[in-house]
Amino acid sequence: MNGIMMMCIAIVVLVSAYLFYGKYLEKKWGIDVHAKTPAYELEDGVDYVPADTNVVFGHQFASIAGAGPINGPIQAAMFGWLPVLLWILIGGVFFGAVQDFSAMYASVKNKGKTIGFIIEEYIGKLGKKLFLAFCWLFCILVIAAFADVVAGTFNGFQVDAETGSILATIEANGAVATTSIIFIVEAVALGFIIKYAKLNKWVNTGVALVMLVAAIVLGLMFPMYVSRSVWHIIIFVYIMIACVVPVWALLQPRDYLNSYLLVFMILGAIVGIFVANPQCNLNAFNGFVVNEQAMFPILFVTIACGAVSGFHSLVSSGTASKQIKNEKNMLPVSFGAMLMESMLAVIALIAVASFAQGEAAAQGLVTQPQIFAGAIANFLMKAGLPYSVVFTLINLAVSAFALTSLDSVARIGRISFQEFFVDEDTDMENMSPVIKFVTNKYVATLATLILAYLLAKVGYAEIWPLFGSANQLLSALSLTACAVFLKKTKRQGKMLWIPMFFMMAVTFTALSMTIYKLGVQFLTVGLTLGTSLQLVFAALLLILGVIVAVSGVKKLSQKA
């Protein structure tokens, strides 16, 4: 197997999936091109804001993509290239794309409401409360982990671990930081241009591309050197603002800008693969247990974003569904974005497979993004491009998207906190003072971010192990909610059942293994603050997940 063969298989499978399976689902569930979507029906200028297909696609794709589909396949490659490729393609088509489309479809058909409200409507109030509690805990985990990752990526100083003295500046990190800050400023400007100038969408695209190039050039020319601890504060101040400002002013245009960066990165990588035709230096299969880790459930928890990710359902139903102009746009925005992310995951697999054993480490490529960037730079060198420039640009693209996902999940965490205290029948005009206080968007934002900030100070390494399991359990619960919605509304939803039950088996097993491992550690050597938090969060997530899953399955088993 070589890179071109693997790439061709992926392109054929993913394009065919969109043209046939995606269109089949669209026809099976039904869309109304003349229906007034929630973006128009409930337009409020903050969350409900109609946007062109390419703008919403940019938001969806930039929010769900990033480091996830790169890290997962590279980490899981220890099992061999064949199981990784099969899970990316099968999972991406029949699990991930179906989940993302069904979540957006259910939301748009229910006035843009989130999965939590859909659970209340079709499963019950208790299920909704528990699901939203689960979502809020999950979002806190992700915010804490991503904020620490971003702060580390932007950190401009190499520090001596023992003395704390500065050894050197890190130019690549400084360039990434400067570009990201410029992106934010440009996004605000682009948001006002799109909203008030009323230019043709191709003119908007041209403006966005000029801004993108300018940000990259200025970032490379003027790297910003700021310490990790200061970046923690800056990042949390930024996402606090991003959580409450109208989506047209920041979220939409910034994701729009970043989506072009990621698309260009993918296209450049594909060109590099066809030019270099790298050989696959991985074994096809290394066994069901590798390095004392069982392929089930580890493979399916490690590769999340490239195959199926519960976080995607929160974006599909939490933010993107409120921006859909026409129901016909749902398929390309949700199903299409997921398939493109699967393509990125396949590229990551080819990248890691191109290195001989020990070669990446010998070149100083240690982290997954570095391995990915180094491989793509090797490929494009054969097309005549300089290695150092390509390596820096790929690192820049991957790092920029961590921040994109961060403020999207922070907004979703804020919304989950607010929705926890409001039911379908709540009188919004006559709420009690207490409910008014806790559902205030500024209060909800602070409640979410303060706890996330404290967790971030613990360090992402201590809380990251739970992310995969929590993320995949969220996908199982979202699939359950969508399956119940489709059944209750007399639509065919059995194609969700196998993904739903499979993801339940994967995540309940993974969380149980985590709890058992931490429990043994507690009884023998004790737990640190980080591992204690892991144990508490794992137990809470498992309990909440089981209760919501059981409630949903009961509804599915009832006669229509």
Side-chain angles (χ1 to χ4, degrees):
M1 181 68 74
N2 56 46
I4 290 180
M5 180 66 70
M6 207 177 288
M7 197 76 259
C8 287
I9 291 171
I11 291 171
V12 169
V13 169
L14 297 175
V15 171
S16 299
Y18 183 86
L19 295 176
F20 297 105
Y21 192 45
K23 294 292 185 182
Y24 164 79
L25 293 176
E26 185 180 59
K27 184 177 179 180
K28 200 74 175 175
W29 295 342
I31 61 168
D32 183 358
V33 296
H34 303 294
K36 194 174 185 180
T37 61
Y40 285 113
E41 186 180 358
L42 302 170
E43 186 172 1
D44 61 4
V46 179
D47 293 316
Y48 290 85
V49 180
D52 289 334
T53 310
N54 56 335
V55 175
V56 190
F57 179 90
H59 162 67
Q60 175 83 5
F61 187 42
S63 295
I64 67 174
I70 292 171
N71 290 354
I74 292 176
Q75 286 179 296
M78 63 182 180
F79 294 107
W81 65 261
L82 184 59
V84 173
L85 182 63
L86 288 175
W87 175 232
I88 290 171
L89 296 181
I90 295 172
V93 173
F94 297 106
F95 288 61
V98 172
Q99 175 209 248
D100 294 9
F101 185 28
S102 62
M104 181 173 287
Y105 182 84
S107 179
V108 170
K109 290 294 188 180
N110 283 274
K111 298 185 181 297
K113 292 177 179 175
T114 63
I115 291 293
F117 267 106
I118 291 166
I119 287 177
E120 178 184 3
E121 178 72 21
Y122 299 99
I123 296 178
K125 287 185 179 181
L126 177 61
K128 174 229 179 180
K129 297 285 189 187
L130 295 175
F131 178 80
L132 288 174
F134 179 96
C135 285
W136 188 61
L137 290 174
F138 170 76
C139 287
I140 288 171
L141 273 176
V142 179
I143 294 166
F146 273 46
D148 190 55
V149 169
V150 172
T153 303
F154 290 178
N155 175 33
F157 302 108
Q158 183 181 348
V159 179
D160 186 280
E162 294 182 2
T163 65
S165 58
I166 297 174
L167 300 177
T169 56
I170 308 173
E171 186 174 350
N173 288 9
V176 170
T178 302
T179 299
S180 298
I181 295 299
I182 294 172
F183 266 5
I184 293 169
V185 176
E186 289 181 342
V188 174
L190 182 61
F192 278 89
I193 290 171
I194 292 173
K195 184 172 178 64
Y196 293 110
K198 307 295 183 183
L199 301 174
N200 180 280
K201 66 179 181 180
W202 296 112
V203 176
N204 289 334
T205 298
V207 172
L209 291 177
V210 170
M211 287 181 167
L212 179 65
V213 173
I216 293 172
V217 171
L218 290 172
L220 293 171
M221 290 174 62
F222 305 104
M224 180 186 300
Y225 300 110
V226 179
S227 70
R228 186 191 194 106
S229 59
V230 174
W231 274 121
H232 269 134
I233 297 170
I234 295 173
I235 288 165
F236 272 92
V237 170
Y238 162 71
I239 58 177
M240 182 170 64
I241 296 170
C243 272
V244 297
V245 299
V247 293
W248 64 263
L250 181 60
L251 199 69
Q252 280 182 351
R254 192 183 45 69
D255 290 350
Y256 186 37
L257 279 172
N258 280 344
S259 67
Y260 281 105
L261 184 61
L262 187 53
V263 168
F264 288 145
M265 181 184 77
I266 292 173
L267 292 177
I270 291 173
V271 169
I273 290 168
F274 278 96
V275 169
N277 189 21
Q279 296 302 304
C280 182
N281 292 310
L282 289 176
N283 294 329
F285 182 61
N286 288 326
F288 291 102
V289 179
V290 178
N291 297 333
E292 299 183 353
Q293 297 195 73
M295 191 167 74
F296 183 90
I298 300 302
L299 174 73
F300 308 98
V301 170
T302 303
I303 303 176
C305 294
V308 57
S309 166
F311 171 61
H312 295 189
S313 70
L314 300 185
V315 177
S316 296
S317 70
T319 54
S321 64
K322 297 174 176 62
Q323 303 170 46
I324 293 290
K325 268 189 170 182
N326 191 297
E327 288 191 7
K328 68 181 181 181
N329 299 339
M330 290 189 288
L331 184 68
V333 169
S334 57
F335 202 93
M338 178 62 226
L339 295 183
M340 187 172 285
E341 187 172 24
S342 295
M343 180 70 73
L344 179 56
V346 172
I347 293 171
L349 174 61
I350 295 171
V352 69
S354 68
F355 288 107
Q357 188 172 6
E359 182 184 354
Q363 294 182 23
L365 308 175
V366 180
T367 67
Q368 287 82 23
Q370 286 175 339
I371 292 171
F372 179 80
I376 304 305
N378 285 336
F379 301 160
L380 288 174
M381 258 199 343
K382 297 189 177 180
L385 297 178
Y387 177 94
S388 59
V389 172
V390 175
F391 181 79
T392 301
L393 289 176
I394 297 295
N395 261 320
L396 194 64
V398 175
S399 300
F401 282 92
L403 189 59
T404 304
S405 299
L406 181 59
D407 59 12
S408 292
V409 77
R411 182 177 285 255
I412 291 166
R414 183 262 288 176
I415 292 172
S416 297
F417 186 88
Q418 290 174 291
E419 289 186 352
F420 181 86
F421 299 98
V422 178
D423 295 323
E424 183 69 30
D425 55 1
T426 298
D427 184 351
M428 304 299 289
E429 300 296 325
N430 297 295
M431 292 189 294
S432 70
V434 174
I435 299 300
K436 276 187 178 180
F437 177 77
V438 295
T439 57
N440 178 279
K441 65 179 180 180
Y442 300 105
V443 173
T445 298
L446 286 173
T448 303
L449 297 186
I450 287 173
L451 185 53
Y453 178 78
L454 294 175
L455 276 174
K457 301 304 287 184
V458 173
Y460 87 94
E462 295 286 352
I463 52 180
W464 189 258
L466 272 182
F467 167 75
S469 298
N471 186 40
Q472 300 305 70
L473 179 51
L474 183 58
S475 74
L477 301 182
S478 297
L479 286 163
T480 304
C482 292
V484 173
F485 157 74
L486 292 170
K487 180 180 179 180
K488 294 288 186 180
T489 55
K490 310 298 183 184
R491 294 178 172 93
Q492 176 61 262
K494 289 190 175 179
M495 67 285 291
L496 273 64
W497 289 26
I498 291 177
M500 175 187 73
F501 284 117
F502 182 80
M503 295 315 297
M504 283 183 191
V506 165
T507 51
F508 290 155
T509 302
L511 282 171
S512 298
M513 288 168 61
T514 299
I515 292 170
Y516 175 78
K517 177 183 176 182
L518 291 172
V520 171
Q521 186 177 337
F522 170 73
L523 294 173
T524 53
V525 297
L527 297 176
T528 64
L529 174 61
T531 51
S532 298
L533 287 171
Q534 282 188 53
L535 181 57
V536 171
F537 268 75
L540 286 173
L541 292 171
L542 182 60
I543 292 167
L544 292 172
V546 168
I547 295 172
V548 176
V550 169
S551 300
V553 172
K554 281 183 179 179
K555 290 290 183 182
L556 277 178
S557 62
Q558 293 175 357
K559 292 184 178 180

